């Protein structure tokens, strides 16, 4: 069972994981752009800052015995997130659209804070 105070960190870990996966996929598409070298450097810096926050969140949950195992696609609208706690396996069902919105909000918030791009464009 996940304690109430840890649920926020679990959700953040899931969103960070998906954000990093999304940016890795986007990074693989980057060479198709004309100015890909310019954007590649900024994207690498951004992914690295997300990885640091992800590692902190993951380490915090690992100390409490909570570990993310995998994502399982249920259908077009839902996916299951499998977690392992100190004494049991736990499955949490998320709506794909809710996760997508959470990842987009995280990325926009981090982009504004990182000041890699001008504020007026975001």
């Amino acid at each position: 069972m996940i304690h109430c105070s840890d649920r926020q960190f679990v959700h953040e870990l899931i969103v960070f994981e998906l954000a990093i996966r999304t940016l890795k996929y986007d990074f693989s598409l980057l060479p198709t752009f004309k100015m890909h070298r310019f954007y590649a450097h900024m994207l690498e810096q951004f992914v690295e800052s997300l990885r640091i926050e992800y590692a902190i969140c993951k380490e915090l949950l690992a100390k409490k015995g909570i570990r993310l195992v995998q994502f399982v696609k249920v259908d077009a609208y839902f996916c299951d997130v499998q977690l392992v706690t100190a004494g049991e396996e736990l499955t949490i069902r998320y709506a794909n659209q809710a996760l997508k919105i959470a990842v987009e909000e995280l990325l926009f918030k981090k982009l504004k804070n990182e000041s890699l791009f001008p504020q007026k464009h975001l």
Side-chain angles (χ1 to χ4, degrees):
M1 191 72 175
I2 297 176
H3 195 269
C4 294
S5 63
D6 297 333
R7 289 181 186 171
Q8 179 182 358
F9 292 116
V10 169
H11 179 71
E12 286 179 10
L13 181 74
I14 292 167
V15 173
F16 275 125
E17 172 82 22
L18 291 174
I20 291 170
R21 285 185 186 187
T22 300
L23 290 176
K24 281 183 181 178
Y25 175 76
D26 292 346
F27 195 76
S28 69
L29 299 177
L30 206 56
T32 60
F33 296 138
K34 286 184 179 179
M35 295 183 61
H36 65 88
R37 290 185 183 129
F38 174 74
Y39 292 113
H41 179 67
M42 289 191 308
L43 192 58
E44 285 174 0
Q45 288 179 338
F46 187 56
V47 169
E48 187 59 35
S49 68
L50 284 177
R51 281 187 183 145
I52 290 169
E53 291 185 46
Y54 172 76
I56 291 169
C57 189
K58 187 175 180 179
E59 183 179 324
L60 180 73
L61 289 173
K63 288 179 182 177
K64 297 182 180 189
I66 301 170
R67 185 172 49 94
L68 178 68
V69 177
Q70 68 178 355
F71 293 89
V72 178
K73 185 174 181 175
V74 176
D75 58 18
Y77 303 105
F78 296 99
C79 70
D80 287 341
V81 178
Q82 294 180 350
L83 302 166
V84 174
T85 60
E88 63 182 325
E89 290 185 16
L90 183 66
T91 302
I92 302 172
R93 181 157 292 179
Y94 276 97
N96 291 340
Q97 190 66 29
L99 285 174
K100 180 181 175 185
I101 290 169
V103 168
E104 286 176 355
E105 288 175 353
L106 173 75
L107 292 177
F108 283 132
K109 184 178 94 175
K110 295 293 179 187
L111 279 174
K112 286 181 182 179
N113 291 342
E114 292 287 327
S115 70
L116 295 172
F117 299 101
Q119 295 288 329
K120 63 181 178 180
H121 296 296
L122 295 176

